[in-house]
């Protein structure tokens, strides 16, 4: 089976969040279970030159806005699978990966060029695996093409939803300029009078998936469907949830190149060295008995930053450290900086994006906070489990599927989770965790329960293979 994964970001070439982690790791994992997989992703200004192994195609002619424009494609296997990086500087060599009013146009081009590239390399894939709204354009183009173009007649599409909150909306009047002139395209994109790339992808792809079982149900409700729950309900018999995996080549405390000491489930002593290094990194006094609560996140309302904000005073009052790495909404950034200024000997804050610091925090912290409002899957709680950093999460989406509440009587569970989106509910769990931390044996058991969990990509990849087979049937 030949599978082409198309994604707006993929590690190690580019990343703003979990989509990058997933799209980089999945094609590699597919390869390891015997699938002939291929990744196509843009070449950004942020993509390091060392990953661009060679120029594969320097004359990829793409019909665009009534002209033929010349794009290029680099080849790489830096993520562990064959990868083409589409290069078109005027759209992709920018200060940031997303955040431009014409993002819809940038990714429409990317999709169009990706299909051109798949045509150019000679034999059509059985499955084109599309990810999030950025790939809704290719879903429509392929659905149309395979009706008249024999090259594509056997190709089927899988569309994965990583986050319903981002839908790639734009004006319907732009559609024609992007090359979508048919009634079919008009109907696919049309969402109450404006164009939605997410809606198009959901409507026309052969099958749909989301990144956890629970989220696959949540997006069928008004609360999490972002206006498209009628469509996910309509297509529920084609929709499944597959929990993301963890790339343990990258996220493994026994081999991690970004941390000062290694450790594993059988010997956690190195974690203490990581904790010391983390405190020193933030110039905090090294008081090893105080727990470190940590957070690594995009600072958006999705992540429940407001609950952390309301609970921060109590975390500090309990005698703990608080360390945060994140960037995003300005008021959340300002709050974190103010908290550090208020308690400089207890709070460490880094505003920005820092991959190696994310690893050090996972390794050195004691508890990891993820009180998300919604969370399609979430990767950091799974990284935390492997690093013996106990997750405190809200019971939504993938967080609910991957974290089990600690039960002191049966000695089962690997974290702490609460239901209602309220700071007092988060604080209850913070106090419970603080209490458990004081009992060294109990704490070790919670850590080990988490470290023993196998969230490897192998399981997830096998589920995707089943999804592809189902799609082809
Ligand atoms: P989301 O994709 O919604 O942001 P996930 O938990 O799925 O959430 O994935 C987030 C990924 O991005 C993780 O790999 C996390 O370590 C990383 N990340 C988020 N913010 C930062 C940051 N400021 N610096 C470094 N890595 C970050
Ligand atoms: C999205 C979601 C996150 C998920 C990631 C990868 O960014 O917010 O929960 O883990 O995609 O699927």
């Amino acid at each position: 089976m030949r599978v082409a994964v198309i994604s707006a970001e993929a590690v190690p070439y580019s990343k703003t969040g979990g989509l990058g982690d997933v799209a980089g790791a999945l094609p590699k994992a597919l390869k390891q279970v015997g699938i002939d997989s291929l990744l196509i992703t843009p070449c950004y200004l942020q993509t390091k030159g060392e990953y661009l192994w060679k120029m594969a195609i320097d004359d990829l002619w793409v019909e665009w806005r009534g002209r033929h424009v010349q794009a290029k494609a680099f080849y790489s296997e830096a993520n562990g699978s064959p990868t083409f990086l589409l290069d078109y500087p005027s759209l992709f060599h920018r200060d940031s990966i997303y955040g431009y009013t014409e993002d819809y146009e940038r990714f429409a081009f990317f999709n169009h060029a990706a299909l051109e590239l798949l045509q150019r390399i000679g034999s059509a894939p059985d499955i084109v695996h599309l990810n999030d709204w950025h790939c809704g354009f290719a879903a429509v183009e392929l659905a149309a093409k395979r009706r008249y173009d024999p090259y594509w007649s056997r190709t089927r599409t899988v569309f994965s939803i990583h986050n319903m909150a981002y839908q790639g909306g734009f004006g319907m009047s732009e559609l024609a300029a992007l090359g979508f002139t048919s009634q079919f395209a008009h109907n696919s994109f049309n969402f109450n009078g404006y164009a939605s790339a997410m809606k198009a992808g959901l409507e026309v792809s052969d099958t749909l998936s989301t990144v956890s079982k629970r989220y696959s149900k949540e997006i069928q409700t008004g609360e999490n469907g972002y206006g498209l729950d009628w469509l996910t309900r309509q297509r529920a018999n084609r929709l499944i949830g597959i929990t993301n995996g963890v790339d343990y080549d990258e996220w493994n405390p026994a081999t991690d190149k970004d941390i000062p000491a290694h450790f594993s489930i059988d010997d956690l002593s190195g974690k203490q060295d990581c904790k010391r290094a983390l405190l020193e990194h933030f110039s905090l006094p090294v008081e090893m008995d105080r727990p470190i609560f940590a957070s690594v996140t995009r600072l958006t309302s999705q992540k429940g930053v407001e609950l952390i904000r309301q609970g921060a005073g109590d975390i500090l009052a309990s005698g703990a450290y608080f360390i945060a790495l994140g960037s995003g909404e300005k008021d959340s950034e300002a709050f974190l900086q103010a908290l550090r200024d208020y308690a400089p000997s207890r709070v460490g804050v880094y505003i920005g994006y820092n991959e190696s610091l994310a690893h050090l925090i996972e390794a050195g912290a004691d508890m990891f906070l993820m009180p998300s409002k919604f969370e399609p899957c979430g990767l950091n709680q799974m990284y935390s489990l492997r690093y013996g950093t106990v997750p405190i999460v809200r019971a939504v989406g993938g967080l609910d599927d991957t974290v089990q509440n600690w039960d002191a009587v049966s000695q089962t569970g690997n974290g702490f989770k609460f239901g209602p989106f309220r700071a007092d509910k988060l604080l209850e769990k913070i106090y419970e965790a603080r209490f458990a931390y004081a009992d060294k044996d109990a704490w070790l058991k919670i850590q080990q329960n988490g470290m023993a969990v196998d969230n490897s990509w192998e399981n997830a990849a096998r589920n995707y293979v089943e999804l592809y087979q189902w799609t082809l049937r």
Side-chain angles (χ1 to χ4, degrees):
M1 192 193 300
R2 297 185 63 243
V3 177
V5 177
I6 304 186
S7 175
E9 57 182 274
V11 161
Y13 314 107
S14 59
K15 167 171 165 179
T16 68
L19 173 62
D21 288 329
V22 170
L26 174 64
K28 172 170 83 171
L30 288 171
K31 219 167 144 252
Q32 283 162 355
V33 296
I35 299 292
D36 182 2
S37 65
L38 171 76
L39 169 68
I40 305 179
T41 193
C43 179
Y44 295 101
L45 199 57
Q46 292 76 5
T47 307
K48 288 191 185 143
E50 68 194 84
Y51 298 137
L52 307 175
W53 287 10
K54 63 174 186 200
M55 175 63 69
I57 302 173
D58 65 0
D59 59 345
L60 186 69
W61 289 98
V62 181
E63 202 181 321
W64 187 241
R65 291 186 168 272
R67 298 188 294 130
H68 281 88
V69 301
Q70 187 175 4
K72 295 177 179 169
F74 290 98
Y75 181 82
S76 183
E77 290 180 12
N79 68 316
S81 82
T83 297
F84 287 96
L85 293 127
L86 266 171
D87 195 34
Y88 193 66
S90 66
L91 292 180
F92 298 112
H93 291 204
R94 302 211 175 164
D95 291 342
S96 56
I97 291 177
Y98 311 120
Y100 301 93
T101 42
E102 68 280 21
D103 277 355
Y104 70 90
E105 183 188 349
R106 300 169 68 222
F107 293 104
F109 177 86
F110 165 59
N111 281 210
H112 191 48
L115 296 186
E116 200 60 52
L117 186 140
L118 284 172
Q119 188 124 22
R120 171 80 172 260
I121 59 185
S123 70
D126 301 291
I127 296 284
V128 174
H129 185 162
L130 303 164
N131 293 279
D132 266 354
W133 75 262
H134 323 100
C135 295
F137 306 94
V140 176
E141 191 173 334
L142 267 176
K145 265 199 165 118
R146 70 181 186 209
R147 295 183 191 168
Y148 61 82
D149 184 343
Y151 184 82
W152 293 108
S153 62
R154 288 179 48 254
T155 298
R156 297 291 173 265
T157 47
V158 172
F159 187 83
S160 290
I161 304 151
H162 297 261
N163 199 330
M164 276 296 257
Y166 302 96
Q167 300 195 347
F170 55 97
M172 286 294 283
S173 57
E174 303 295 315
L175 268 184
L178 302 179
F180 295 105
T181 49
S182 69
Q183 189 62 40
F184 168 72
H186 181 276
N187 294 346
S188 309
F189 282 99
N190 186 9
F191 182 33
N192 298 334
Y194 69 92
S196 161
M198 178 62 104
K199 187 228 167 200
L202 293 178
E203 190 164 288
V204 308
S205 300
D206 293 306
T207 56
L208 309 176
S209 75
T210 64
V211 289
S212 70
K213 284 206 165 47
R214 171 132 187 206
Y215 194 62
S216 74
K217 304 286 182 246
E218 289 172 345
I219 56 172
Q220 297 179 45
T221 67
E223 190 187 344
N224 286 300
Y226 287 86
L228 290 171
D229 43 300
W230 58 273
L231 183 53
T232 48
R233 281 198 301 277
Q234 204 178 81
R235 303 213 67 205
N237 63 347
R238 304 253 181 151
L239 163 67
I240 66 159
I242 300 177
T243 305
N244 289 329
V246 172
D247 186 347
Y248 289 127
D249 292 340
E250 292 298 319
W251 294 92
N252 178 356
T255 55
D256 194 323
K257 59 185 182 339
D258 290 315
I259 63 178
H262 291 141
F263 56 95
S264 65
I265 188 167
D266 302 317
D267 178 5
L268 272 132
S269 53
K271 189 167 172 69
Q272 290 298 95
D273 299 325
C274 294
K275 180 169 178 175
R276 189 171 293 110
L278 178 59
L279 291 170
E280 283 167 358
H281 179 92
F282 282 102
S283 305
L284 294 167
V286 179
E287 294 168 11
M288 296 295 283
D289 287 339
R290 294 185 191 279
I292 304 178
F293 288 82
S295 165
V296 176
T297 189
R298 292 184 294 118
L299 296 170
T300 67
S301 63
Q302 170 188 347
K303 301 296 179 178
V305 193
E306 65 192 84
L307 297 193
I308 296 184
R309 200 166 175 154
Q310 291 168 43
D314 292 82
I315 293 177
L316 298 181
S318 80
Y321 292 106
F322 176 68
I323 287 180
L325 161 61
S327 66
E329 288 165 7
K330 294 299 161 215
D331 60 333
S332 298
E333 293 184 354
F335 155 70
L336 289 174
Q337 278 157 337
L339 188 69
R340 184 200 37 215
D341 294 346
Y342 165 73
S345 61
R346 290 291 185 73
V347 178
V349 169
Y350 182 104
I351 300 295
Y353 186 88
N354 187 327
E355 189 78 31
S356 64
L357 183 55
H359 285 250
L360 179 62
I361 292 177
E362 283 292 3
D366 296 293
M367 292 93 166
F368 197 93
L369 299 175
M370 282 181 88
S372 303
K373 197 170 270 174
F374 65 92
E375 196 61 75
C377 179
L379 295 170
N380 274 120
Q381 83 280 13
M382 295 196 275
Y383 300 156
S384 299
L385 289 173
R386 185 47 65 109
Y387 282 73
T389 301
V390 176
I392 300 177
V393 306
R394 181 155 176 258
V396 286
L399 297 174
D400 196 28
D401 289 354
T402 56
V403 175
Q404 281 77 47
N405 249 322
W406 166 246
D407 182 304
V409 178
S410 61
Q411 299 274 296
T412 55
N414 52 28
F416 297 87
K417 59 181 175 182
F418 63 100
F421 188 73
R422 289 196 345 230
D424 61 321
K425 294 294 171 191
L426 167 63
L427 277 171
E428 269 175 28
K429 291 297 159 184
I430 285 176
Y431 290 133
E432 253 183 65
R434 186 75 183 79
F435 186 69
Y437 179 79
D439 175 346
K440 291 216 162 12
D441 293 337
W443 195 253
L444 181 63
K445 183 69 182 151
I446 306 175
Q447 289 179 302
Q448 288 176 330
N449 286 350
M451 294 176 88
V453 174
D454 178 8
N455 284 317
S456 60
W457 262 108
E458 197 182 324
N459 290 335
R462 289 189 198 287
N463 289 328
Y464 276 108
V465 174
E466 272 179 34
L467 168 62
Y468 300 150
Q469 284 164 343
W470 179 52
T471 307
L472 290 173
R473 280 199 297 275

